[in-house]
């Protein structure tokens, strides 16, 4: 069986029938799935659940932070974030301290081990992504580079409250 040319979209339905939104959703879903799987295959030492990795990433940019702020940023329930933080405290990745601005509240901060784990995870993903990008042709790499600002803007737009019907 021959492989499909890279220019064809190996999607669940023909590209002519698929909407732009559906194609982008499928591409993002596939990227997330393959990145999650590849980090476990290529780097078996990585054992953190993605929810904890994502919290490490947020804390890497916004630390210290209150649990409520983390929950808002991750669009998770505060109780879910609190449980994840508890696991991360046990693992030595974060500490919970009294908020100096409001002694009734607490903030979460990355530990040195948390910074090291985040750097190792980020480095592993960057190496994996660099190898995949290097396998692309110049035109595809240029197209991706050109699309990056629009993808970041799309993420911002998706993060804003919707005026449309609520989704359950």
């Amino acid at each position: 069986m021959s492989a499909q040319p890279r220019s064809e979209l190996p999607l669940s339905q023909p590209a002519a029938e698929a909407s732009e939104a559906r194609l982008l959703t499928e591409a993002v879903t596939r990227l997330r799935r393959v990145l999650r799987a590849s980090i476990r295959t290529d780097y078996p030492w990585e054992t953190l659940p993605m929810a904890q990795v994502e919290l490490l990433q947020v804390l890497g940019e916004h630390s210290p932070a209150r649990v409520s702020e983390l929950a808002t940023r991750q669009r998770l329930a505060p109780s879910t974030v609190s449980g994840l933080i508890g696991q991360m405290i046990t693992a030595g990745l974060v500490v919970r301290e009294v908020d100096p601005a409001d002694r009734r509240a607490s903030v979460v901060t990355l530990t040195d081990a948390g910074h090291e784990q985040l750097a190792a995870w980020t480095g592993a993903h960057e190496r994996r992504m660099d190898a995949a990008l290097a396998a692309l042709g110049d035109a595809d790499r240029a197209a991706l580079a050109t699309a990056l600002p629009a993808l970041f803007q799309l993420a911002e737009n998706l993060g804003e409250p919707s005026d449309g019907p609520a989704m359950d």
Side-chain angles (χ1 to χ4, degrees), residues 4 16 19 22 29 37 47 49 63 80 89 91 96 106-107 110 151 165:
Q4 288 182 329
S19 72
R22 181 180 177 108
T29 300
T47 59
S63 184
T80 300
I89 289 170
R96 190 183 318 235
S106 63
V107 292
L110 285 177
L151 289 171

Side-chain angles (χ1 to χ4, degrees), residues 28-67:
V28 168
T29 300
R30 285 178 171 209
L31 281 169
R32 284 182 58 88
R33 187 180 312 122
V34 77
L35 281 170
R36 277 195 312 263
S38 71
I39 196 73
R40 304 284 189 243
T41 301
D42 295 349
Y43 307 99
W45 48 262
E46 177 52 65
T47 59
L48 282 182
M50 280 307 297
Q52 289 184 19
V53 170
E54 290 171 355
L55 278 175
L56 284 177
Q57 289 173 317
V58 171
L59 284 166
E61 294 179 27
H62 308 281
S63 184
R66 291 184 181 187
V67 169

